[in-house]
Amino acid sequence: IKARGIIDVLRSGVKDLDLTVYLYFKTPASNLNTKALALYNANIFSVNRQLHYSLNNNNSLDMAILINGLPVITFELKNQWTGQTVKHAIKQYQTDRDPKEPLFQFGRCMVHFAVDADLAYMTTQLSGFNTFFLPFNKGVDHGAGNPLNPLGLKTDYLWKDILTKSSLSNIIENYAQIVEEVDEDTGKVKKKLIFPRYHQLRVVKKLLSDAKKNGVGHKYLIQHSAGSGKSNSITWLSHQLVGLHDSTNTNNVFDSVIVVTDRRVLDKQIRDNIKQFAQVKGVVEAITEGSRQLKQALEDGKKIIITTVQKFPYIIDEIGELKGKRFAIIIDEAHSSQSGETASKMNYALSQKGEQYEGEEEEEQEDSEDKINKLIEQRRM
């Protein structure tokens, strides 16, 4: 666990020569597989209150969640009625929880939560006073915080929705990940543990649920703000759309997922991100060499294809020739309006292909998404 982190150990087990010891059994793809279902149900999810974690003192955590005896999440819980709030919980992690203790070392747990009756915050790495916490709240009135809950505490979604056995299993298997980031100035590689925030889990879950129920041929708009973790949301959605089955759990909804970015810099960022989250090699294909590579990737049935908006018309051409194939297209920054940069690039790309729409003139206010929709509908995808 110290070398690989708790996430990889739970997913892949521990190998010794030709022997593999599995410390966690994954969710079965279908309940029809009774053996896999029995193994999954044998996993022991437990809660430990006042967890003593040190050999050097008598300090204890308010609570920890363990899977088959291995700690995966820690908590500091506060109560406004006793004069303490989530700020005290955050300070406790920053000042009283030594990051050198084995339990708090990088990768040993997936996430650490600071929670009170109204708010929840999370961090994936303790660094003393420099520990940075992100909100894990539902949001209210398009702002921060949590809405009033007539049935209980504002933060009860944490244990009712997120920390259930099925939800926690889903996070372990499909979301949490240790990734590497390269500092462009120094060239140094830094590891970072990613744990999904509430809004990221919600958007991916909603999209998967609707696609599973209604199949292909629908459009969705996801609004996001700066710093909301958009690249990770795109990554999680891409990987899970690939394995999504229809309501009968027998057929894949999509044959391939195509991610379209509006800038080459973002293309590399998302490409690297999606590749690092891949649990199987050869799933992701980044189009860096033009339309020939794109055509080959589509014909080879690559599961996730990443390209830029400049190549989008070629994508439409190629997938239009692959009859019977179903594609999910994720367009990054579909409504971006930074100085009209995205719109002008899309306009240029489309004009290069000489696309004409019979019986109507282009309207000046028509944006990138409108043009993409027209192309898709015209090609009868």
Side-chain angles (χ1 to χ4, degrees):
I1 295 174
K2 182 178 181 180
R4 293 161 46 200
I6 186 65
I7 300 165
D8 187 53
V9 168
L10 288 176
R11 284 179 179 170
S12 305
V14 178
K15 293 183 179 180
D16 183 16
L17 299 178
D18 60 345
L19 178 67
T20 300
V21 178
Y22 292 102
L23 303 177
Y24 165 79
F25 292 102
K26 295 181 180 179
T27 308
S30 169
N31 288 341
L32 297 177
N33 189 333
T34 56
K35 181 179 179 180
L37 182 61
L39 289 172
Y40 172 72
N41 288 333
N43 290 316
I44 300 174
F45 290 68
S46 59
V47 175
N48 192 321
R49 293 186 60 190
Q50 299 305 133
L51 178 65
H52 291 267
Y53 58 84
S54 178
L55 296 175
N56 303 316
N57 54 58
N58 199 38
N59 290 348
S60 64
L61 285 160
D62 285 336
M63 192 174 78
I65 289 180
L66 300 86
I67 297 179
N68 298 328
L70 299 173
V72 292
I73 302 176
T74 73
F75 299 84
E76 291 294 352
L77 307 174
K78 301 304 172 186
N79 186 338
Q80 286 93 326
W81 296 292
T82 60
Q84 290 189 311
T85 69
V86 69
K87 291 183 179 179
H88 294 91
I90 290 174
K91 185 177 180 181
Q92 195 168 14
Y93 270 121
Q94 292 174 331
T95 59
D96 294 340
R97 303 299 177 231
D98 186 355
K100 294 180 181 179
E101 290 282 358
L103 182 63
F104 300 132
Q105 291 175 7
F106 177 78
R108 296 297 289 261
C109 285
M110 289 196 302
V111 67
H112 308 281
F113 277 110
V115 187
D116 66 18
D118 295 334
L119 299 170
Y121 284 79
M122 54 163 267
T123 185
T124 57
Q125 184 171 8
L126 296 185
S127 305
F129 287 104
N130 295 321
T131 303
F132 182 70
F133 279 81
L134 287 167
F136 195 88
N137 301 306
K138 301 175 75 172
V140 57
D141 295 330
H142 304 289
N146 285 306
L148 291 173
N149 180 7
L151 301 178
L153 302 179
K154 290 183 179 180
T155 50
D156 71 359
Y157 60 89
L158 193 60
W159 55 89
K160 288 184 176 179
D161 299 334
I162 306 301
L163 301 178
T164 63
K165 183 175 181 178
S166 59
S167 175
L168 193 52
S169 298
N170 185 31
I171 291 172
I172 292 170
E173 295 166 21
N174 298 306
Y175 289 89
Q177 184 81 14
I178 292 178
V179 299
E180 293 183 348
E181 295 181 346
V182 180
D183 189 308
E184 295 183 359
D185 296 326
T186 64
K188 292 183 178 180
V189 178
K190 181 181 179 181
K191 289 186 176 182
K192 183 178 181 180
L193 199 160
I194 305 296
F195 188 89
R197 294 165 66 185
Y198 181 85
H199 66 276
Q200 294 173 312
L201 288 168
R202 178 172 57 189
V203 70
V204 175
K205 182 179 179 180
K206 282 187 174 182
L207 289 168
L208 292 174
S209 176
D210 196 86
K212 183 180 184 72
K213 178 182 178 181
N214 298 311
V216 299
H218 299 275
K219 304 168 189 173
Y220 310 89
L221 175 65
I222 297 92
Q223 294 175 295
H224 61 85
S225 59
S228 63
K230 176 192 61 178
S231 294
N232 287 336
S233 297
I234 290 175
T235 297
W236 288 317
L237 179 61
S238 301
H239 282 291
Q240 292 183 65
L241 282 173
V242 165
L244 184 66
H245 287 79
D246 60 19
S247 56
T248 67
N249 281 330
T250 55
N251 302 307
N252 283 347
V253 177
F254 301 103
D255 295 293
S256 296
V257 176
I258 301 171
V259 180
V260 183
T261 63
D262 69 330
R263 290 186 292 276
R264 289 184 176 86
V265 173
L266 279 179
D267 177 48
K268 184 180 186 304
Q269 291 175 353
I270 291 181
R271 180 172 74 236
D272 293 344
N273 211 54
I274 291 177
K275 282 188 173 182
Q276 287 203 70
F277 276 78
Q279 297 184 39
V280 179
K281 291 184 178 180
V283 171
V284 182
E285 179 79 7
I287 306 304
T288 58
E289 301 174 8
S291 57
R292 182 177 297 179
Q293 183 193 9
L294 170 63
K295 182 178 181 180
Q296 190 65 47
L298 289 167
E299 290 178 348
D300 291 346
K302 291 292 184 179
K303 293 302 182 182
I304 300 177
I305 298 169
I306 310 166
T307 186
T308 58
V309 70
Q310 290 82 4
K311 298 186 182 74
F312 190 83
Y314 297 99
I315 293 174
I316 297 295
D317 280 341
E318 296 299 339
I319 60 182
E321 297 177 3
L322 298 174
K323 303 298 182 182
K325 296 290 186 179
R326 294 163 297 183
F327 300 89
I329 301 177
I330 302 174
I331 304 169
D332 179 29
E333 299 284 11
H335 280 294
S336 176
S337 59
Q338 296 176 350
S339 303
E341 179 183 5
T342 304
S344 63
K345 284 184 177 180
M346 180 63 75
N347 291 341
Y348 175 76
L350 296 180
S351 65
Q352 289 296 97
K353 293 295 293 179
E355 297 293 343
Q356 298 293 330
Y357 307 107
E358 295 181 4
E360 57 183 332
E361 296 180 357
E362 296 285 347
E363 297 181 2
E364 289 185 5
Q365 66 268 28
E366 189 173 51
D367 66 11
S368 305
E369 188 189 20
D370 294 328
K371 293 179 181 294
I372 291 171
N373 288 336
K374 281 189 175 182
L375 270 177
I376 292 174
E377 290 169 5
Q378 189 181 43
R379 301 304 172 101
R380 295 180 181 179
M381 289 176 54

